[in-house]
Structure formats: structure tokens, C-alpha cells
Amino acid sequence: MLVNSSLLFKKAQKEHFAIPSANFVDMEGIKNHVQCAEEMGLPLIIAIAESHLGDNINLEDAALVGRKYAKEASVPIVLHLDHGESVETCKKAIDLGFTSVMIDASTKSFEENVATTREVVEYAHARGVVVEAEIGHVASNFNMNDTEALYTTAEEAAEFAKQSGCDSLAISIGTAHGVYKAKAIPEISFEALASIREATDVPLVLHGGSGSGDENLNRCAREGICKVNVYTDLYLAALEESQTVKGTGAADYIALVAALKKGMNDCLKHYYKVFETKN
Ligand code: 13P
């Protein structure tokens, strides 16, 4: 069933677990992720980042196919726009039937971030859609121009949630998007997480799940993170599994697609366990 994340996050907050947000970059990814959630009998957030829209998949395709698979699923599925870069893209996703959008104005000033988020919140709430925003800034290891992390403070998180009216808040406590340099597991500030958790009731979400260490992520889920975004690890696992297919015949193409799916789904199943996701 297609849902927004309100009830899922309430339960996750109360019962101290997290729900995975699995990114997809094509229509096959939607099907794989939803089938994996059904196999596990667990809820899932399927997400497409605005930066991944293009030849493989556009927003209309993502909405059409995402809504179809979500509606047909026996478990709750949230269709989420990840890292929406403008108010216009968020509004378009909402109009197309996404049930959740992220407006990422985290590189703007506090005031601009609040104003931009508020605009999306007003539009979204009138249509039953929920909004994620980000305060502080989770760095990106993909984008060399964007390596500066800005850690979130408890005061700004509480004030931002209050002023913006966002439904969930991405915080920066030590993770980064993509593969970590030197492949080191990051140090997470659990003190910051605890103080942010203490300062606000808004559901907290974590970006940059890949490579962040199972122990770290499990502790984040237990100590107040309701959703963890995973992209890089899913696709690296798919590529690794695809190496098992060596043939060059037409049937090997089918085997290759199956291997990609197996790699991706095994990885997602692993994270379900790490996050202790409940039905
Ligand atoms: P990773 O690629 O590090 O898992 O980050 C995913 C993410 O945060 C998407 O918003």
C-alpha cells in the first residue's frame, strides 16, 4: 500500500527502530526494492534523488511506476523525492503523487532554509504529503566541491523544526554520502544525536548510510534515528554480484539482471536487520 511516512515514523520513534530509505535510479530498482520489502514483510521508503533524474528515469516515470508497485504491495511503501533542489521540483513531485518529498536547502542560510522549507510544507500539507528538510549539512564524497560537513546543533534543529513545520529532519552527525575516503568507518557523534533528540520531537533521519558501519547504524536506529538512507552500498552490492555472470549469450543478460537484483536485495535485507525494522 502507498502511504506517507507519518505513522511509520511515529512507530519507529516509539519502538526505537529505523526504516530503510532505498534509493533507486531506474524503474527496475523500484520493482526490486518493493519486492524485497514484500519478501521481508516490512515497510520501505523508496526514493529517487533529483540528481538521478534523467535518461534512465524522469519524475513522471518514477511517479507512475512507483505508485503502481507501492499500491499493489502488501506492505506500506512511501514514494519519496530525495534531495529536492527547488520548490518547483517538490511541487511537481507532489502533483504527480509522491507521498513524501525532501527539500534540501541545507547549503542556504538558516533563514532561507526555513522560508524555502515552509513554502514546500504549506503546499505539501494541503495535499496530504509530508516534507523532510535538512539542517546542518551532510557532506558528499561524490561531489568534490561539496566535502564540507556542517554538524547539526540541538538548538538549531529544534528552532528549525519549529519554524519550518517540517515532518522529519535530516541531521548531520558524522556520516557522508558515498564511499568514505580511505574506506574508514566514520565516527558518529552519539552525543549530538542524544542532545538533538532531547531538544525536539520531530522524527530524525540520517543520510549517507552506506559504509557507515553496522554497529554505528544499529545504535543510531536504537537511539533516535527513524530512517536511514542507503544508496551506494545497494548499487555496489549489485555490481559485485553481477561479476558472477560471465557468459555472453542472450540468456546471460537475464542472468545478469537477476544477479544485479540479488546483490541489491541481499544488501537491503542486511540493512533491515541492522536497523531492526519492525512491521
Ligand atoms: P549513501 O550513498 O552514502 O548510502 O547515501 C545515500 C543518501 O543519503 C541518499 O540521500
Side-chain angles (χ1 to χ4, degrees):
M1 68 214 76
L2 176 67
V3 298
N4 73 32
S5 49
S6 303
L7 290 176
L8 297 179
F9 286 168
K10 276 207 180 81
K11 188 174 161 76
Q13 270 186 323
K14 208 166 138 221
E15 297 183 23
H16 308 284
F17 67 85
I19 299 156
S21 177
N23 281 79
F24 59 88
V25 297
D26 59 10
M27 289 181 258
E28 205 61 28
I30 297 174
K31 198 168 93 183
N32 290 347
H33 293 342
V34 173
Q35 283 178 352
C36 182
E38 290 213 89
E39 251 180 71
M40 298 296 286
L42 291 170
L44 184 65
I45 294 153
I46 55 169
I48 177 108
E50 181 167 355
S51 62
H52 285 146
L53 295 171
D55 285 348
N56 269 352
I57 188 164
N58 59 33
L59 205 56
E60 286 79 2
D61 298 332
L64 197 72
V65 180
R67 283 176 64 83
K68 171 191 151 55
Y69 281 97
K71 279 183 183 173
E72 289 171 2
S74 54
V75 289
I77 304 287
V78 178
L79 178 61
H80 176 71
L81 173 72
D82 190 25
H83 292 286
E85 293 163 20
S86 67
V87 173
E88 290 65 40
T89 310
C90 290
K91 285 185 175 175
K92 192 174 164 194
I94 293 164
D95 291 344
L96 286 167
F98 279 66
T99 55
S100 170
V101 295
M102 177 193 191
I103 174 72
D104 183 357
S106 61
T107 54
K108 296 184 178 173
S109 69
F110 182 91
E111 292 72 22
E112 262 184 290
N113 194 352
V114 167
T116 311
T117 303
R118 264 236 76 83
E119 198 180 337
V120 177
V121 165
E122 273 157 27
Y123 194 83
H125 284 183
R127 292 157 180 83
V129 173
V130 292
V131 179
E132 174 185 327
E134 178 168 325
I135 190 72
H137 181 65
V138 177
S140 168
N141 291 322
F142 302 124
N143 178 353
M144 287 311 152
N145 298 321
D146 180 26
T147 48
E148 285 298 311
L150 272 180
Y151 280 61
T152 308
T153 67
E155 297 69 34
E156 67 183 350
E159 201 48 40
F160 182 84
K162 198 164 92 189
Q163 289 188 29
S164 72
C166 66
D167 300 281
S168 62
L169 188 59
I171 55 169
S172 174
I173 53 172
T175 56
H177 296 98
V179 175
Y180 289 95
K181 294 190 188 76
K183 301 219 162 85
I185 290 174
E187 208 166 297
I188 307 283
S189 175
F190 290 100
E191 297 72 32
L193 175 56
S195 61
I196 296 166
R197 182 62 295 147
E198 189 65 29
T200 174
D201 284 339
V202 75
L204 303 177
V205 308
L206 190 69
H207 283 241
S210 298
S212 297
D214 292 350
E215 241 176 81
N216 274 341
L217 295 178
N218 178 265
R219 195 168 161 198
C220 284
R222 283 172 175 241
E223 296 183 11
I225 293 290
C226 296
K227 176 188 86 150
V228 181
N229 289 13
V230 186
Y231 161 56
T232 305
D233 277 355
L234 295 177
Y235 283 84
L236 290 181
L239 287 173
E240 197 180 325
E241 189 66 32
S242 73
Q243 305 296 313
T244 58
V245 180
K246 301 284 180 223
T248 53
D252 294 309
Y253 178 81
I254 298 171
L256 181 68
V257 173
L260 289 166
K261 175 179 176 173
K262 181 181 180 321
M264 196 176 286
N265 288 6
D266 285 351
C267 181
L268 181 53
K269 285 176 189 169
H270 169 77
Y271 278 123
Y272 266 126
K273 292 203 182 83
V274 172
F275 305 159
E276 299 187 21
T277 313
K278 292 197 181 79
N279 194 328

